[in-house]
Amino acid sequence: MIGSDVAVAYMDGLLGITADYNISGKFPCSNVLGKNGGVCPDEKVGGVPNGYQIHTYVRKDGITVITYRRNLLNTEDSGDKVFNQEGDTYLIWAVGKYNSFKEPTYHRLVLRGDLKLNLGRKPGVKNCESFTRSRMKATEKFWGPLRIRDPQVTTFTVRVGVPGGMKGYFGMTGRSSPGVAWYVNGLLSPELYLRRNRRYTFVVEGGNDPYNARFYHPFYITDDPHGGYAKYSEEERQSKKIYAGVEFDRRGRPHPSAAGRLCSWVHNTSHRYSMDDYPTYPKFRNSLMLKCSEGEPSILHFTPNASAPDLLYYQSYTQRDMGWKIFIVDEIINAAPSSLHISMISVISCVVTVLLWTGIRENV
C-alpha cells in the first residue's frame, strides 16, 4: 500500500465523511525530524485540500456504504493518482478503525491479491462482491486482562510487537493500536502493579532510529491514557504530566531519554492462522518469534513516590495507544502469576502427570 493515493471514508455520528490521504509508511501520520510521514492527510504532506464530493452515505445492518466523487484526471496535487479511463486500473482496499483522535489505525481486513476495475467500460456493469459482517461471535472471549502483580518483580523488559487482532490489544483496552503495541516481560500490554517508594528498572527495546518512524518508540510513563507526546501541540502538552522517560532542556523542549535497540515480536510466517483464531494468549504468543537488531537496550529507572497518582500509563513517545495501565499501590497483595507463568506451570504439570501415569502402566 505504500505510495498509494487513498480515500478514507467513515461515519462520524450521522455524517458521512471521505478524506484524501497519502501513504508513505505503515503507521499513523507522524512528524519525525520535522517531516510528516505515514498515513497522512494530503494537506499534511504538501497536497491540496480535500477534493472529494460526498454523494450519499448510509449505515445499515452493520455495513457502511458511502458514495463520493473525485476527479479522474491529474490535479495540482502531485500525490493524487490519475485514474485510467481506458483499460484496467488497480485498486486496493482495507477496513480498520479510527482512534479517539480521528486517526486511521492499522487495518483488520485487507485485500488479498489484485483488484482491477475498468472505469471506462460501457455500458457500466456492477459486479462487486458484497461486504459481510464480522464472523467473530459476541460470545468469544478476549485474551485479557493480562497482569504483572508480583512483589518480587522489579525489572521489566519492554519490547514492541503485533497487537493481536480483536482479541488482543483492542479487546483488552478498547483502543485501536497503530499496528504495534508494547510487550512487557513477554505479555501483550499487561497491567503493571508497582509499589510506592520502590525502585523499578525498565529495559527498553522499542527502537532508537528516528529515520525508521514505524519502529521508533521511546518509552515513557505519564498520566495520559493515550500517549504519543510528540503528536501534541504545545498547548495540549500543558495538561499532560510525565513521570519518567522524557527530559526537558533549558527552553522547555522535550527529548525522549528511553530509546533502545529494536526488539519486536513478529508473526512466524509458517503459521497461517488468523490472530483471532487463537483461543488463548499463550497459544498466540507461542506462534510469534522475537527479532532483535544490533545495539544496546535503554535503561530507565522509576521510583513512584508518595505523591504519584494511583493510576499511570506506560506509552510510546511517537505513537498513541500502544501501552496500558500502571497501578501505584502501597502494598502488592493477592499477588498472582501472570497468565504466561500459569500456562507454563500447567504444561509442566501435564508432562509430569503423563510420565507418572506411563510408569504405572509399565509396572502393571
Side-chain angles (χ1 to χ4, degrees), residues 195-198 243 303-310 328-330:
R195 200 181 81 180
R196 297 184 191 276
N197 300 316
R198 172 170 287 187
Y243 289 82
T303 303
N305 56 27
S307 63
D310 295 338
I328 308 299
V329 297
D330 295 326

Side-chain angles (χ1 to χ4, degrees), residues 5 52 68 70-74 80-86 89-91 119:
D5 171 27
Y52 293 154
Y68 67 95
R70 63 151 286 175
N71 195 343
L72 297 180
L73 303 179
N74 193 14
D80 284 346
K81 303 293 185 181
V82 176
F83 282 70
N84 297 323
Q85 299 183 64
E86 296 181 359
T89 297
Y90 285 86
L91 299 179
L119 300 177

Side-chain angles (χ1 to χ4, degrees), residues 278-311:
Y278 293 97
T280 64
Y281 174 73
K283 290 186 177 181
F284 166 74
R285 230 301 302 276
N286 289 339
S287 73
L288 305 179
M289 58 182 177
L290 182 64
K291 287 188 174 181
C292 293
S293 61
E294 296 182 357
E296 298 295 329
S298 178
I299 305 299
L300 176 67
H301 298 292
F302 174 56
T303 303
N305 56 27
S307 63
D310 295 338
L311 178 61

Side-chain angles (χ1 to χ4, degrees), residues 77-147:
D77 187 345
S78 60
D80 284 346
K81 303 293 185 181
V82 176
F83 282 70
N84 297 323
Q85 299 183 64
E86 296 181 359
D88 293 330
T89 297
Y90 285 86
L91 299 179
I92 58 173
W93 63 261
V95 178
K97 288 182 175 292
Y98 266 106
N99 62 20
S100 57
F101 297 87
K102 299 298 182 184
E103 298 172 326
T105 58
Y106 204 75
H107 50 259
R108 59 183 178 85
L109 298 175
V110 65
L111 171 68
R112 303 296 182 185
D114 294 331
L115 172 63
K116 296 184 292 184
L117 294 181
N118 188 334
L119 300 177
R121 180 171 48 197
K122 295 181 180 180
V125 178
K126 184 177 181 180
N127 56 9
C128 296
E129 296 183 10
S130 299
F131 280 97
T132 59
R133 301 191 67 176
S134 171
R135 62 184 176 86
M136 186 175 181
K137 300 178 181 179
T139 56
E140 289 184 315
K141 296 181 179 180
F142 303 127
W143 293 330
L146 304 176
R147 299 185 177 97

